Amino acid sequence: MEERKVVLVTGGSRGIGKEVAEVYAENGYDVVINYVSDKTDIEGIKKEFFEKGVKCLLVKADVSKAEDVEKMVEEAIAEFGKIDVLVNNAGITRDTLLMRMSEEDFDKVIEINLKGTYLVTKAVTKYMMKKRSGSIINLASVVGVVGNAGQCNYSASKAGIIGFTKSVAKELASRNIRANAVAPGFIATDMTSVLSDSVKENINVQIPLKRMGTAREVAEVIYFLGSEKSSYITGQVINIDGGMVM
Ligand code: NAP
């Protein structure tokens, strides 16, 4: 019997991350789901994955805190013995114009989105390197490529993730570890539900496919990048944006 594979998804309790965990589970992976909020329905999520016939470990950890991250990865390794695929998905926004942006809001977004990606990647690749295989997928954003008024902290974090991904891909390719990023456009999740209807309408006008994307449409590409079907792809940024950036 073929050995089961394991995926670790940061921020896997909601939105895109949850959908990613679901797609991997549907393809027979055991899943480690990271979250940070005390409001998370741990039992409900466990039940949902149990019913899919896969093992699911939920780990509370703030990805911006090195100690939390170390413990999370150790717990995952103790449970499953390995991590085949890492999806660095946890992310936040604290949008406002540069002139109004507090230092705290700038730092918080960089700490969770960019430093979090660094901390988790470092902790997980230690084990991937021993195994000489692995695939890492980082969540960037189209705004990390083209910028966006009101999101200088967020777009800086996402541009940083793109540079980080390419450097890691170069460092780890000789160990058979691939690293890629996805750059979603506007995807319907809690993160974008705060936008007003008029802002959403205005966004849709600018998207060639004339609609927001779904979490499933992002998750399927992330699954492809974690799988052997993408075995010759590393250091790339794949836009999933209905044609916004081309
Ligand atoms: P979301 O619905 O707001 O979910 C965010 C997830 O991140 C939640 O699971 C949350 O956990 C987790 N999280 C937040 N801070 C964390 C921390 N310090 N440590 C661990 N987990 C933390 O967001 P989303 O829309 O699914 O976005 C997922 C990723 O895609 C993000 O990196 C985002 O920047 C990126 N992205 C999204 C869009 C979009 O349009 N939605 C576009 C481009 C890129 P809790 O449930 O515990 O709070």
Side-chain angles (χ1 to χ4, degrees), residues 10-18 34-40 61-65 88-93 108 112-113 139-143 154 157-158 161 182-192 212 215 218:
T10 68
S13 48
R14 292 187 279 130
I16 295 170
K18 173 97 184 312
N34 154 252
Y35 65 97
V36 73
S37 166
D38 288 326
K39 290 184 201 143
T40 305
D62 180 341
V63 293
S64 67
K65 301 213 165 81
N88 279 307
N89 166 83
I92 61 159
T93 49
K108 197 76 193 160
I112 293 175
N113 298 6
L139 269 288
S141 165
V142 288
V143 307
Y154 182 78
S157 76
K158 295 301 183 181
I161 286 173
V182 292
F186 286 92
I187 311 300
T189 66
D190 291 349
M191 189 175 268
T192 46
M212 284 177 124
V218 178

Side-chain angles (χ1 to χ4, degrees), residues 33-224:
I33 293 180
N34 154 252
Y35 65 97
V36 73
S37 166
D38 288 326
K39 290 184 201 143
T40 305
D41 176 15
I42 300 168
E43 290 313 314
I45 296 175
K46 270 191 194 158
K47 188 166 172 274
E48 190 187 321
F49 282 85
F50 179 76
E51 284 167 0
K52 287 186 197 292
V54 303
K55 285 190 197 153
C56 171
L57 174 71
L58 276 124
V59 190
K60 183 177 177 184
D62 180 341
V63 293
S64 67
K65 301 213 165 81
E67 204 182 313
D68 280 20
V69 169
E70 284 296 328
K71 275 196 202 143
M72 168 176 75
V73 174
E74 277 167 23
E75 215 178 302
I77 294 293
E79 179 75 20
F80 295 114
K82 62 171 186 169
I83 295 166
D84 298 290
V85 177
L86 164 65
V87 182
N88 279 307
N89 166 83
I92 61 159
T93 49
R94 293 260 176 110
D95 299 350
T96 192
L97 296 172
L98 169 66
M99 284 304 147
R100 291 193 204 131
M101 188 174 290
S102 67
E103 206 175 324
E104 194 203 336
D105 281 349
F106 186 84
D107 287 347
K108 197 76 193 160
V109 169
I110 298 290
E111 271 170 27
I112 293 175
N113 298 6
L114 181 56
K115 188 178 164 195
T117 298
Y118 148 75
L119 287 173
V120 182
T121 304
K122 192 174 170 192
V124 170
T125 48
K126 194 168 97 185
Y127 296 97
M128 287 181 169
M129 280 164 80
K130 280 188 198 149
K131 220 165 58 72
R132 291 196 166 261
S133 78
S135 180
I136 301 158
I137 301 102
N138 297 326
L139 269 288
S141 165
V142 288
V143 307
V145 181
V146 298
N148 194 22
Q151 289 197 307
C152 69
N153 50 358
Y154 182 78
S155 54
S157 76
K158 295 301 183 181
I161 286 173
I162 291 172
F164 176 82
T165 304
K166 292 180 181 181
S167 300
V168 166
K170 286 186 176 176
E171 276 184 37
L172 299 179
S174 63
R175 309 292 179 103
N176 193 34
I177 299 168
R178 298 182 294 113
N180 291 288
V182 292
F186 286 92
I187 311 300
T189 66
D190 291 349
M191 189 175 268
T192 46
S193 66
V194 292
L195 301 171
S196 69
D197 286 346
S198 67
V199 169
K200 282 184 192 160
E201 270 166 36
N202 193 30
I203 288 168
N204 286 347
V205 170
Q206 293 164 41
I207 302 172
L209 287 179
K210 299 284 173 238
R211 64 172 176 87
M212 284 177 124
T214 65
R216 176 62 52 154
E217 287 171 312
V218 178
E220 294 285 1
V221 179
I222 291 175
Y223 178 71
F224 165 73

